[in-house]
Amino acid sequence: MEASLTARDRVGIQDFVLLDTYTSETACLDNLRKRFHENLIYTYIGTLLVSVNPYKELDIYSKKQMDTYMGVNFFELPPHIYALADNAFRTMMSEFNNHFILISGESGAGKTEASKKILQFYAVSCPSTKVLNNVRDRLLLSNPVLEAFGNAKTLKNDNSSRFGKYMDIQFDHQGGAVGGHILSYLLEKSRVVHQNHGERNFHIFYQLVEGGEEDLLRWLGLERNCKHYRYLVQGNCAKVSSINDKSDWKTVRKALSVIDLSESDIENLFGIIASVLHMGNIKFEADARGYAMLNNNQEMQWVSKLLGIPNQVLQQGLTHRKIEAKSEEVFSPFSVDHAVYARDALAKAIYGRTFSWLVNKINESLANMDSSRKTVIGLLDIYGFEVFSVNSFEQFCINYCNEKLQQLFIELTLKSEQEEYEMEGIEWEPVPYFNNKIICDLVEEKFRGIISLLDEECLRPGEATDLTFLEKMEDKIGGHPHFVTHKLADQKTRKTLKRGDFRLLHYAGEVTYCVVGFLDKNNDLLYRNGKEVMRQSKNAIIKHCFPSTEPDSKRRPETVVTQFKNSLVGLTEILMMKEPWYVRCIKPNEAKQPGHFDDVLVRHQVKYLGLMEHLRVRRAGFAYRRKYEIFLQRYKPLCPDTWPNWKGTAAEGVRCLIKHLGYKSDEYKMGRTKIFIRHPRTLFATEDAFQVCKHKLATRIQAKYKGYKVKGDYLKQREAATKIETCWRGMMARRERQRRAWAVKVIKKFIKGFMNRHQPACTDNSEYLAFVRHSYLTRLKENLPKTILEKDSWLTPPPILQEVSQVLKKIYIRHMVRKYVRGITPQRKAQVQSVVRDYFISILRLTLFLQGVSVSNLSDNFLILHVTCDDSKQKGDLVLQCDFLFEALTKLSVIVNKQNCIHVVQGSVRFDIQPGREGFVDFKSGQESMVYRAKNGHLMVVSLLNAGKTSVVL
């Protein structure tokens, strides 16, 4: 909480106790307004939580928020309903005692939503098991059921609770929610038969008609139109934009199953709801004698069917009254007005008792069978103080309830304050406050109070009316300072009062009540034969609500206000045995607009909620109190002796701290476990000094932390670099080892393959042979002959590639020849042919002449040779030397058609001189061309170096 004081001028103060002008309503309103406009809807007054309805969704109720507030000190975080719920829970667990949370406020202020948020928090924060989850689900889903049957749209709230609800949540020793119990107070049964303009009946009626399945509506005899039912149209407000009846119907259907209602119970329950709607449509007409008679038998038949009551019995119960005279029973017919009264009274009784049955069924489903001791947190969601333009009997009871709760609230608050002071050893100073006991006595005092006068008027013989009740009050309590009527008022006040009104000055302000209807509503009479008719019902719920064992006393039952008074006494006794926590809900405007803050309306609520009274009690002594440990932990930087660590006890540390700060003796008190500070300005000065100190400390801490952080980063980086270097070296060493191992393996394979290279292909030499093949083909690719003349320079292949090499050589030679031939132009071809032919013919003639070969014919196209030989004469081999030798020989071989007689050789040629004798011709290059016999007897042919000539033997 202290952390928020720095922004107090903008967003207000989180705790009203810390306001300097705490007695000023204006200052309180200003603080509320600041926080409301900042969407800060929660504010503390000590441990009391003030909640302002924002009329919009706020992102402050998520699971993350719940986790944030679990197990946190009450004032450690900003005010929140989760903080209050968590602290109540933790206090219960630590002290093992019972607590209750009182949620109060005007209709539409958000009481129901607050109770839902508390239930949801406990559902999430408590331990979870399968059994506990079942209880949790039933606790949560009891809300939509009770809202459907007990809530309605009013002028001020679209989901107003029309009954008081007190729910006990039972916890085991581990904090698990193991059970619950619900008490209901003063259901507004009159709403069943009458609604003011702009209001609706209870939600369940509209949910059934709008959301019910077609088969269900057909079975119930209902139509999907609310305007067809008299009990639903009196307020002329069947449709409401903020309410989705169809969706709510699905939720209620699911919830009824979860809270363990059987299908037959659910059918009977819906049958009762439908029967009330049909009952409202029953009309009466007067016969000739003025007695009531039915004119729409169809609606009566549906009521008879749904309740399981014979038609004739039901009809007699609605049109006749049973009178017992000594030993005789007489049925007296009703007038139309009495019949209408009897019908409405029966409808209210049926609905009211069914609601009580439903609450009991929910309690059965929440019951905990374990008899061991349980701790309890109670949730009291009860009507807020109500002031309408016309206030009737219901508002009187509701405001009386608020008076009693205000009385309890003041007593418990004063008691808790006094106990804390005594426990801490601080002298208690009596607190002046307005004691509303005088108003409570005015209402409930025996024989003289308004309740007693009302009951007396209801029970007395003779003609009692609302006006006679008013006259009796004027006579008995006319001199009371908090009571005034038109007759008793002065001239000025009389103008604001009607003759049938009386005014009470409540603690929250003046409220004017209209006495019309007080007696009827207080009597709430159901004729005896009406009960007897219900006892003949075959509907299981109706039989339970109107048991045959119910005592049929001739004495009049207790009036409504007396029952309510007794239930309040019982509630007060329950609450007095528990530790209180309070949530005060405030409605910021009547139009339900987000962001709009109506000062007049809020001021009125602040007054009647008793916030100023509570604030005065809390501020009567000391505005601020904290445990020594918490105070020292926060403010120890302000004193050199306590910073950074205090070695002694927390109390001694606080004493040293406040001495250093210069607190005056009248500004504080030292308790046993807490320090008490009287004035908020003392705390504010301390907090402001802490903020200044905090910035200096933050700078020093940041510098230290940055140095520590940088040093840590450096050490981490150095360690990381060392690790990286180590890993890198290791990786490189492993790679080197792997590379060497691979090299050894490859070398071994190569050597083994080389040793077995002449063996057939196997695993030992397969890789080596593959290498040889690859190496040979690679070298061959780089050393291919450039021309056809170099074909004999073909690279010598290894043994395994002899055949392949021959095939490749042939393919390549053919390729070069084809390429050479394709590269000769027609002009070049003709020129070569002409030169070769002329040259060759000249040489050929000479050669043939010298060899004795005669030429028989020679033309431009071909040459015909006639060679004659003597048997006695042997012709020798012809040695030719010429340019363009291959072209000439090719042409010659074609001419003589002896292509196979030409052999091209290089180096040396062997030839036969005569049978059995051979000779050799050797070829070489030299400085000059010559032919001679060498010393070895070979014929030596010498050609010029680089002459580009080739020797050919024919």
Side-chain angles (χ1 to χ4, degrees):
M1 181 190 72
E2 291 83 353
S4 69
L5 295 181
T6 55
R8 57 184 179 267
D9 293 333
R10 179 175 59 85
V11 300
I13 295 175
Q14 291 182 172
D15 194 339
F16 278 110
V17 173
L18 298 180
L19 285 172
D20 264 334
T21 54
Y22 67 93
T23 58
S24 169
E25 283 187 3
T26 303
C28 293
L29 283 176
D30 184 59
N31 195 58
L32 276 177
R33 188 188 310 105
K34 286 180 181 179
R35 298 185 61 76
F36 177 75
H37 289 311
E38 294 291 333
N39 288 326
L40 302 172
I41 63 171
Y42 295 117
T43 311
Y44 290 139
I45 302 180
T47 57
L48 179 146
L49 181 69
V50 180
S51 171
V52 183
N53 194 338
Y55 290 120
K56 63 181 178 181
E57 292 293 330
L58 297 178
D59 187 24
I60 59 173
Y61 301 108
S62 62
K63 172 66 166 58
K64 182 179 179 181
Q65 285 279 11
M66 293 184 186
D67 294 338
T68 302
Y69 279 90
M70 285 183 195
V72 177
N73 183 276
F74 191 66
F75 295 104
E76 189 172 332
L77 293 174
H80 202 292
I81 198 164
Y82 292 160
L84 183 138
D86 180 70
N87 275 268
F89 176 78
R90 288 191 294 112
T91 306
M92 175 199 71
M93 293 300 297
S94 61
E95 299 178 2
F96 209 65
N97 56 0
N98 298 326
H99 294 250
F100 75 90
I101 301 173
L102 172 58
I103 307 171
S104 60
E106 189 172 324
S107 180
K111 301 186 300 296
T112 302
E113 287 301 314
S115 65
K116 287 181 185 177
K117 294 295 184 284
I118 293 173
L119 277 176
Q120 290 168 3
F121 179 81
Y122 288 146
V124 171
S125 62
C126 293
S128 177
T129 65
K130 186 176 181 180
V131 175
L132 295 181
N133 287 344
N134 288 337
V135 175
R136 178 197 65 192
D137 292 342
R138 290 173 181 176
L139 282 169
L140 290 175
L141 290 176
S142 65
N143 258 327
V145 174
L146 292 175
E147 284 184 15
F149 285 84
N151 287 24
K153 180 196 180 309
T154 64
L155 293 174
K156 294 192 174 184
N157 185 6
D158 291 346
N159 187 35
S160 177
S161 298
R162 306 318 299 163
F163 72 105
K165 181 181 71 173
Y166 176 76
M167 173 187 284
D168 267 339
I169 309 171
Q170 299 170 353
F171 298 89
D172 61 15
H173 66 283
Q174 294 180 334
V178 294
H181 188 78
I182 297 172
L183 296 175
S184 63
Y185 300 95
L186 193 64
L187 177 71
E188 190 183 14
K189 294 185 292 184
S190 61
R191 185 169 292 272
V192 175
V193 299
H194 175 74
Q195 307 93 45
N196 294 325
H197 183 77
E199 297 189 347
R200 296 205 317 175
N201 208 325
F202 293 105
H203 293 323
I204 187 62
F205 294 109
Y206 306 92
Q207 292 171 4
L208 176 60
V209 173
E210 295 292 338
E213 299 78 7
E214 292 294 340
D215 292 342
L216 177 61
L217 293 182
R218 195 178 303 111
W219 179 73
L220 297 175
L222 298 177
E223 300 177 23
R224 200 178 294 282
N225 190 342
C226 295
K227 294 182 180 179
H228 291 173
Y229 303 100
R230 178 179 172 274
Y231 282 167
L232 302 185
V233 297
Q234 297 177 52
N236 196 25
C237 190
K239 296 280 187 181
V240 181
S241 60
S242 63
I243 299 176
N244 188 337
D245 291 314
K246 290 183 179 180
S247 175
D248 293 342
W249 167 258
K250 295 178 182 178
T251 303
V252 171
R253 283 286 286 169
K254 176 185 175 184
L256 288 174
S257 301
V258 172
I259 61 176
D260 215 18
L261 259 67
S262 65
E263 283 301 318
S264 61
D265 282 342
I266 294 174
E267 287 182 3
N268 289 331
L269 182 61
F270 293 153
I272 292 172
I273 301 302
S275 70
V276 172
L277 292 178
H278 287 298
M279 196 175 294
N281 285 354
I282 294 176
K283 296 181 181 178
F284 301 95
E285 290 183 355
D287 60 10
R289 294 179 297 174
Y291 296 138
M293 58 180 247
L294 295 168
N295 70 347
N296 50 350
N297 201 37
Q298 184 179 1
E299 297 290 353
M300 182 66 74
Q301 289 175 354
W302 277 113
V303 176
S304 173
K305 174 191 171 184
L306 295 173
L307 296 182
I309 301 173
N311 197 348
Q312 284 299 115
V313 173
L314 185 60
Q315 185 170 344
Q316 187 179 37
L318 291 176
T319 58
H320 292 76
R321 177 181 180 182
K322 183 179 179 181
I323 300 175
E324 293 184 3
K326 296 184 179 181
S327 60
E328 294 183 4
E329 293 182 351
V330 178
F331 287 92
S332 172
F334 283 140
S335 65
V336 173
D337 290 342
H338 279 91
V340 170
Y341 178 86
R343 177 201 65 189
D344 291 348
L346 184 60
K348 291 190 292 184
I350 290 173
Y351 192 85
R353 296 194 182 199
T354 301
F355 183 80
S356 298
W357 172 88
L358 183 60
V359 172
N360 290 334
K361 291 297 288 186
I362 294 174
N363 286 334
E364 289 177 12
S365 71
L366 296 176
N368 175 38
M369 301 306 175
D370 187 359
S371 59
S372 60
R373 184 185 173 189
K374 303 293 183 298
T375 50
V376 167
I377 292 180
L379 287 179
L380 180 58
D381 174 10
I382 203 143
Y383 349 77
F385 200 86
E386 289 190 349
V387 183
F388 297 134
S389 56
V390 177
N391 301 287
S392 187
F393 177 76
E394 292 83 7
Q395 283 67 49
F396 173 77
C397 293
I398 289 171
N399 294 340
Y400 163 58
C401 173
N402 277 270
E403 287 284 358
K404 291 294 290 183
L405 292 176
Q406 172 68 9
Q407 186 181 31
L408 175 69
F409 169 66
I410 293 295
E411 288 179 5
L412 291 177
T413 303
L414 287 173
K415 178 183 176 183
S416 63
E417 282 289 295
Q418 185 172 1
E419 286 178 351
E420 182 177 18
Y421 276 58
E422 290 175 355
M423 183 174 61
E424 291 293 328
I426 305 296
E427 184 179 353
W428 170 253
E429 299 175 4
V431 179
Y433 67 95
F434 172 69
N435 190 344
N436 69 335
K437 184 177 184 300
I438 185 174
I439 303 174
C440 293
D441 290 343
L442 170 64
V443 175
E444 65 184 8
E445 187 179 4
K446 282 187 177 182
F447 309 118
R448 288 181 52 82
I450 295 176
I451 291 177
S452 295
L453 298 177
L454 179 59
D455 285 350
E456 183 180 326
E457 196 66 14
C458 288
L459 300 176
R460 76 175 177 85
E463 192 67 27
T465 65
D466 296 321
L467 291 178
T468 60
F469 164 60
L470 182 61
E471 291 172 358
K472 178 168 286 191
M473 286 195 296
E474 290 173 338
D475 181 50
K476 297 291 184 181
I477 57 176
H480 199 285
H482 291 266
F483 174 83
V484 66
T485 66
H486 184 275
K487 178 181 177 181
L488 301 175
D490 56 31
Q491 193 67 31
K492 182 179 179 181
T493 306
R494 187 173 296 175
K495 295 178 180 179
T496 62
L497 287 170
K498 296 180 181 179
R499 294 189 179 277
D501 294 348
F502 69 94
R503 181 174 295 166
L504 295 182
L505 182 57
H506 290 280
Y507 77 93
E510 295 179 347
V511 182
T512 302
Y513 299 97
C514 177
V515 295
V516 176
F518 261 61
L519 266 61
D520 285 343
K521 293 177 180 178
N522 188 41
N523 280 321
D524 193 26
L525 289 178
L526 176 62
Y527 293 116
R528 188 178 307 167
N529 57 319
K531 295 180 182 179
E532 293 175 353
V533 169
M534 291 296 104
R535 289 169 186 165
Q536 299 185 42
S537 173
K538 295 179 181 178
N539 185 300
I541 298 177
I542 294 296
K543 291 177 91 174
H544 183 275
C545 293
F546 295 89
S548 58
T549 57
E550 183 178 0
D552 195 11
S553 174
K554 295 181 181 179
R555 293 181 58 187
R556 293 178 63 123
E558 283 187 336
T559 60
V560 172
V561 72
T562 300
Q563 294 177 32
F564 185 58
K565 174 186 173 183
N566 294 337
S567 64
L568 279 183
V569 171
L571 176 63
T572 304
E573 291 175 354
I574 292 173
L575 299 182
M576 288 295 288
M577 294 186 293
K578 295 180 171 65
E579 296 295 323
W581 300 79
Y582 303 101
V583 179
R584 295 292 197 240
C585 299
I586 292 178
K587 182 165 64 173
N589 61 79
E590 293 285 6
K592 306 168 191 174
Q593 293 180 353
H596 178 54
F597 192 89
D598 186 339
D599 284 12
V600 175
L601 179 64
V602 175
R603 184 186 297 271
H604 176 67
Q605 294 173 82
V606 166
K607 185 177 180 181
Y608 81 67
L609 285 173
L611 299 186
M612 299 306 297
E613 297 289 338
H614 185 73
L615 180 56
R616 278 194 288 271
V617 170
R618 291 288 297 182
R619 277 296 303 270
F622 297 89
Y624 175 88
R625 65 207 68 182
R626 280 294 180 275
K627 287 187 176 295
Y628 290 136
E629 293 79 6
I630 298 173
F631 188 83
L632 180 63
Q633 179 63 29
R634 181 168 184 82
Y635 295 117
K636 65 181 180 180
L638 297 176
C639 176
D641 295 333
T642 57
W643 175 259
N645 293 306
W646 174 254
K647 303 299 183 182
T649 64
E652 292 172 349
V654 170
R655 188 171 284 107
C656 178
L657 174 61
I658 60 178
K659 181 179 180 181
H660 177 78
L661 293 174
Y663 279 17
K664 296 179 181 178
S665 58
D666 62 340
E667 291 182 333
Y668 74 96
K669 290 289 184 181
M670 300 287 288
R672 293 189 177 94
T673 63
K674 296 179 181 179
I675 178 174
F676 291 75
I677 297 177
R678 187 177 298 279
H679 305 297
R681 60 177 177 272
T682 305
L683 176 65
F684 293 161
T686 305
E687 181 63 27
D688 292 340
F690 171 69
Q691 293 300 323
V692 175
C693 178
K694 184 172 68 173
H695 291 298
K696 295 179 181 178
L697 288 174
T699 304
R700 291 172 57 189
I701 293 172
Q702 284 176 353
K704 291 290 184 181
Y705 179 74
K706 287 177 181 177
Y708 165 78
K709 187 71 175 174
V710 170
K711 182 179 179 181
D713 291 343
Y714 166 73
L715 294 176
K716 287 180 180 178
Q717 291 174 4
R718 188 175 70 177
E719 183 181 359
T722 303
K723 288 183 179 179
I724 292 172
E725 289 173 357
T726 303
C727 293
W728 176 258
R729 291 193 187 101
M731 183 187 70
M732 296 301 292
R734 287 190 293 273
R735 285 186 179 179
E736 180 66 18
R737 184 186 65 80
Q738 291 172 357
R739 189 180 66 81
R740 292 184 180 184
W742 173 82
V744 170
K745 185 177 179 181
V746 170
I747 292 170
K748 283 182 179 180
K749 283 188 177 182
F750 187 86
I751 295 173
K752 197 169 186 180
F754 177 78
M755 294 171 64
N756 295 280
R757 64 187 181 281
H758 298 303
Q759 301 296 327
C762 61
T763 56
D764 292 336
N765 61 7
S766 60
E767 292 190 13
Y768 176 78
L769 295 179
F771 168 76
V772 170
R773 284 192 290 270
H774 181 269
S775 177
Y776 172 71
L777 293 175
T778 302
R779 288 185 293 110
L780 179 61
K781 176 184 176 183
E782 298 172 353
N783 296 283
L784 287 170
K786 300 296 187 291
T787 65
I788 191 66
L789 301 178
E790 300 175 7
K791 66 179 181 178
D792 291 332
S793 65
W794 189 265
L795 196 62
T796 304
I800 63 170
L801 293 175
Q802 290 289 346
E803 295 181 6
V804 175
S805 179
Q806 291 298 326
V807 173
L808 291 175
K809 183 177 180 181
K810 287 181 181 181
I811 293 172
Y812 186 69
I813 290 173
R814 290 183 65 184
H815 166 70
M816 287 195 302
V817 170
R818 187 168 180 268
K819 183 177 179 182
Y820 176 77
V821 171
R822 285 191 171 187
I824 299 175
T825 63
Q827 293 83 2
R828 175 67 175 164
K829 183 177 181 181
Q831 182 182 2
V832 170
Q833 286 178 344
S834 175
V835 172
V836 171
R837 182 182 63 184
D838 294 342
Y839 183 76
F840 178 68
I841 290 173
S842 300
I843 297 301
L844 185 60
R845 282 177 178 173
L846 176 60
T847 303
L848 293 178
F849 174 76
L850 295 174
Q851 294 296 326
V853 180
S854 60
V855 178
S856 59
N857 187 26
L858 187 64
S859 67
D860 292 337
N861 299 318
F862 57 87
L863 178 64
I864 300 175
L865 301 177
H866 298 282
V867 181
T868 58
C869 297
D870 286 348
D871 294 335
S872 60
K873 197 185 282 186
Q874 294 292 329
K875 301 296 182 183
D877 294 324
L878 178 63
V879 178
L880 296 178
Q881 182 177 5
C882 66
D883 296 329
F884 307 107
L885 178 60
F886 283 102
E887 289 84 348
L889 289 178
T890 302
K891 186 66 175 180
L892 180 59
S893 65
V894 171
I895 293 173
V896 299
N897 195 23
K898 289 192 176 183
Q899 292 88 337
N900 296 329
C901 293
I902 299 174
H903 300 281
V904 179
V905 297
Q906 288 183 341
S908 180
V909 177
R910 185 185 64 79
F911 62 94
D912 293 329
I913 300 175
Q914 61 183 20
R917 185 182 176 188
E918 59 185 9
F920 294 89
V921 180
D922 294 333
F923 303 97
K924 72 175 184 176
S925 299
Q927 299 297 328
E928 57 181 333
S929 178
M930 64 180 69
V931 178
Y932 63 92
R933 182 178 295 279
K935 293 180 181 181
N936 58 3
H938 294 184
L939 180 65
M940 179 63 70
V941 179
V942 181
S943 64
L944 291 174
L945 287 169
N946 300 322
K949 298 178 180 177
T950 305
S951 298
V952 181
V953 177
L954 301 176

